[in-house]
Amino acid sequence: MKKFAVVGNPIKHSLSPFIHEGFREQIQGEYSYDKILSPLDQFEATIKHFFEQGGSGLNVTLPFKEEAYRLCEHLTMGAKTAKAVNTLAMKDGKLWGHNSDGIGLVRDLTVNLGLMILSSRILVLGAGGAVRGILGPLTVMAPKEIVICNRTISKAEQLVKEFQVTENIFKAAAVSELADLGEFDLIIHATSAELSGGQLDLPTSLIGPQTACYDLFYNQQQTTFVAWAQRAGVKKAVDGLGMLIEQAAESASFWHNCDISAKAVINTAHNERELFFAGK
């Protein structure tokens, strides 16, 4: 039986085992999928032990995505662009790294939510590993502008420097500049405020008649960012549950060499949210 798992710290909250169980009918062969809590200073030892014990693939969550990137011997183009890895596989004795976050986000935004990225103004709040994973796939969809805002502006500036390849669409902004940036078509939240219990103090001047808000984080209850967006009167405000499921489907496709559809699992997640979270 092939063994898969998700590794992170913390990890108890992860829905990944339940999500991958939802793909079972689409995958040939028996497999298991578990959760692994890695000590913060022992990530490399943790994944080495997993693969030495016959593991086939790992999903990587906070805070290890950038460390996973550095440990890989081979990388997919998405992982190279992001410089962060959320999917690991052992192939022919070599550690491969892939990043399915951005693919999952774009699929949820465009296919499931029907949002248009082409020629849009996008504000990204945060500049960590999760943001690295989404910028490449967003750029492929040809937005007009992507503004990256972070409390430590040097981190946002570094991302702009790395991703500003051919089209001059990226801009870094400080938190103090938010009120002067104007309206956006899409605002993506990727800061650690939700995990740390912090409060969001964002100007409503960011919101226009067509603005949609998307939180990369998810919870059984409404996230702080989604609550702010709804109070601000946006036309659509959703959390990252759809992205989580879509990126999981992309990871499963990478491992099992077949196309995995996330549609049925996403429908269950949205229609029976309380039962879905209880499934973990």
Side-chain angles (χ1 to χ4, degrees):
M1 177 186 293
K2 291 185 177 180
K3 296 190 297 183
F4 300 90
V6 57
V7 57
N9 187 331
I11 199 63
K12 184 178 180 180
H13 68 287
S14 177
L15 291 166
S16 292
F18 187 60
I19 292 169
H20 282 269
E21 179 63 29
F23 302 146
R24 188 170 292 278
E25 290 186 2
Q26 302 178 60
I27 299 170
Q28 294 183 350
E30 288 298 313
Y31 66 92
S32 63
Y33 191 106
D34 300 307
K35 301 177 187 179
I36 298 175
L37 175 67
S38 173
L40 294 176
D41 60 350
Q42 295 180 36
F43 175 70
E44 183 175 4
T46 299
I47 64 170
K48 182 179 179 181
H49 177 75
F50 175 81
F51 286 114
E52 285 179 344
Q53 297 301 307
S56 297
L58 282 170
N59 281 130
V60 181
T61 188
L62 295 173
F64 299 121
K65 294 182 181 182
E66 291 175 76
E67 184 174 356
Y69 167 82
R70 294 191 293 270
L71 294 174
C72 288
E73 297 166 278
H74 293 283
L75 297 160
T76 63
M77 185 57 66
K80 289 179 181 178
T81 301
K83 294 186 179 178
V85 160
N86 76 334
T87 306
L88 293 170
M90 188 63 68
K91 298 184 178 182
D92 299 322
K94 303 291 185 180
L95 187 62
W96 279 80
H98 180 44
N99 194 304
S100 64
D101 282 334
I103 296 170
L105 172 63
V106 168
R107 283 180 185 166
D108 198 35
L109 289 173
T110 60
V111 177
N112 302 325
L113 300 175
L115 297 177
M116 177 70 73
I117 297 177
L118 177 67
S119 299
S120 64
R121 286 193 81 217
I122 301 174
L123 173 62
V124 178
L125 301 170
V131 174
R132 283 187 170 278
I134 67 173
L135 291 180
L138 282 175
T139 304
V140 171
M141 304 302 291
K144 179 181 180 180
E145 182 180 39
I146 298 178
V147 179
I148 305 171
C149 179
N150 195 59
R151 291 191 183 278
T152 305
I153 192 171
S154 60
K155 292 184 178 180
E157 290 171 338
Q158 179 61 33
L159 287 180
V160 169
K161 181 179 179 181
E162 291 182 31
F163 284 87
Q164 198 89 275
V165 181
T166 55
E167 299 296 329
N168 189 34
I169 65 170
F170 285 96
K171 175 184 176 181
V175 173
S176 59
E177 299 177 85
L178 279 173
D180 301 318
L181 293 177
E183 298 174 355
F184 288 87
D185 300 297
L186 174 63
I187 302 174
I188 299 173
H189 174 249
T191 76
S192 59
E194 190 70 26
L195 295 178
S196 62
Q199 296 299 310
L200 291 170
D201 185 19
L202 301 172
T204 55
S205 59
L206 300 170
I207 302 297
Q210 300 301 315
T211 302
C213 288
Y214 195 97
D215 197 337
L216 293 194
F217 294 96
Y218 60 90
N219 206 328
Q220 182 173 351
Q221 290 78 37
Q222 196 176 60
T223 67
T224 303
F225 176 69
V226 169
W228 169 82
Q230 290 185 343
R231 289 196 304 271
V234 302
K235 68 167 189 173
K236 190 183 293 285
V238 297
D239 67 13
L241 188 56
M243 171 186 169
L244 175 73
I245 299 168
E246 287 287 4
Q247 67 81 25
E250 171 64 19
S251 291
S253 298
F254 180 71
W255 290 328
H256 299 285
N257 296 312
C258 63
D259 291 331
I260 303 296
S261 171
K263 184 176 181 180
V265 181
I266 287 177
N267 289 341
T268 299
H270 289 310
N271 296 333
E272 303 176 45
R273 193 177 183 96
E274 187 171 337
L275 292 176
F276 185 83
F277 275 85
K280 66 181 179 180

